[in-house]
Amino acid sequence: MTKRGTAQKTTGSIMTKIRKLSRLIHRDLSFFFSGMLLVYAVSGIALNHKDTFNSQYTVERKTFAIEKEILSTKEDMTKKHVLKLLEPLEETEHYLKHYFPEPDKLKVFLKGGSNLEVCLTDGQAVYESVKRRPVMGALSKLHYNPGKAWTVFADVFAVSLVIIVLSGLVMLKGRHGLNGIGGIELLAGMLIPLLFALL
């Protein structure tokens, strides 16, 4: 065998080992970070449509009338009176503070973002209930990066995505690999975000 043939055989053997190692790395990292991928994919879709869908909270508005007998004027409206207004809504324990945006308007702030507005002259009230979505709210919180520990894990995930991409590029050979259809798909996939960034 010539030196050239030996060199080609050695190169081929090295590439075979690289492809085999790439498949193992690609497989194991993909399985390990599949949950993380789902978190970012699902929450990302929701955040893409945040103009029409609040992924973190549900907001409900309820209009009702308060009996005039339990209303007070601005001067007499103490915290005790406000708590009495909150009793039918079962929100007394969530009271934060209240103020008067107008002389005959009372606004009460509640824990969690809910609030109550009351017209002191006719008793018309609007209760706005804000509640966190149990699943989507948690996923969106993770997407927004809730703390230092998550930052570390997210950084590891980001580096692993680079490794997954690189290992995916070299693990196939032939017409489906980087020198064939795979290379064309790679360029097309890179071109789309590049066009959006430039245009």
Side-chain angles (χ1 to χ4, degrees):
M1 185 179 289
T2 63
K3 290 184 178 180
R4 183 177 180 182
T6 302
Q8 288 177 340
K9 185 177 180 181
T10 302
T11 303
S13 177
I14 292 173
M15 287 306 299
T16 299
K17 290 179 180 179
I18 290 175
R19 290 190 182 98
K20 184 178 180 180
L21 180 62
S22 295
R23 281 193 290 269
L24 294 175
I25 293 173
H26 191 91
R27 179 197 66 195
D28 292 339
L29 287 180
S30 296
F31 274 121
F32 184 79
F33 286 107
S34 59
M36 190 77 160
L37 283 167
L38 287 173
V39 166
Y40 278 100
V42 175
S43 59
I45 291 172
L47 292 173
N48 281 343
H49 301 277
K50 60 184 178 181
D51 292 340
T52 57
F53 175 73
N54 189 327
S55 61
Q56 292 185 291
Y57 301 97
T58 58
V59 181
E60 296 180 1
R61 290 171 64 88
K62 175 184 177 183
T63 303
F64 61 100
I66 296 176
E67 296 178 7
K68 292 184 178 181
E69 291 75 13
I70 62 174
L71 288 176
S72 298
T73 61
K74 176 182 177 180
E75 292 72 20
D76 297 330
M77 185 63 71
T78 63
K79 180 181 176 180
K80 182 179 179 180
H81 284 91
V82 174
L83 293 177
K84 193 169 184 64
L85 298 177
L86 294 175
E87 284 180 2
L89 301 172
E90 299 182 349
E91 289 277 21
T92 54
E93 295 182 359
H94 300 145
Y95 170 87
L96 287 176
K97 64 179 181 178
H98 68 276
Y99 86 112
F100 298 90
E102 298 176 25
D104 63 338
K105 292 284 179 65
L106 166 71
K107 184 158 187 175
V108 186
F109 294 98
L110 305 168
K111 294 177 182 177
S114 300
N115 65 80
L116 173 68
E117 288 188 16
V118 181
C119 178
L120 299 179
T121 54
D122 59 10
Q124 290 299 309
V126 178
Y127 169 58
E128 189 173 74
S129 173
V130 180
K131 294 181 180 178
R132 179 176 286 276
R133 295 183 188 273
V135 177
M136 286 303 303
L139 294 182
S140 297
K141 184 178 180 181
L142 291 177
H143 200 113
Y144 281 123
N145 198 344
K148 292 182 179 179
W150 183 257
T151 300
V152 173
F153 185 60
D155 285 345
V156 172
F157 170 64
V159 173
S160 297
L161 280 181
V162 174
I163 296 173
I164 289 172
V165 169
L166 294 178
S167 62
L169 293 178
V170 300
M171 70 182 187
L172 291 177
K173 64 178 181 178
R175 63 186 300 267
H176 294 290
L178 194 58
N179 293 327
I181 297 174
I184 297 173
E185 292 172 341
L186 172 65
L187 291 175
M190 294 177 65
L191 185 61
I192 292 173
L194 183 61
L195 288 174
F196 273 97
L198 294 176
L199 301 178

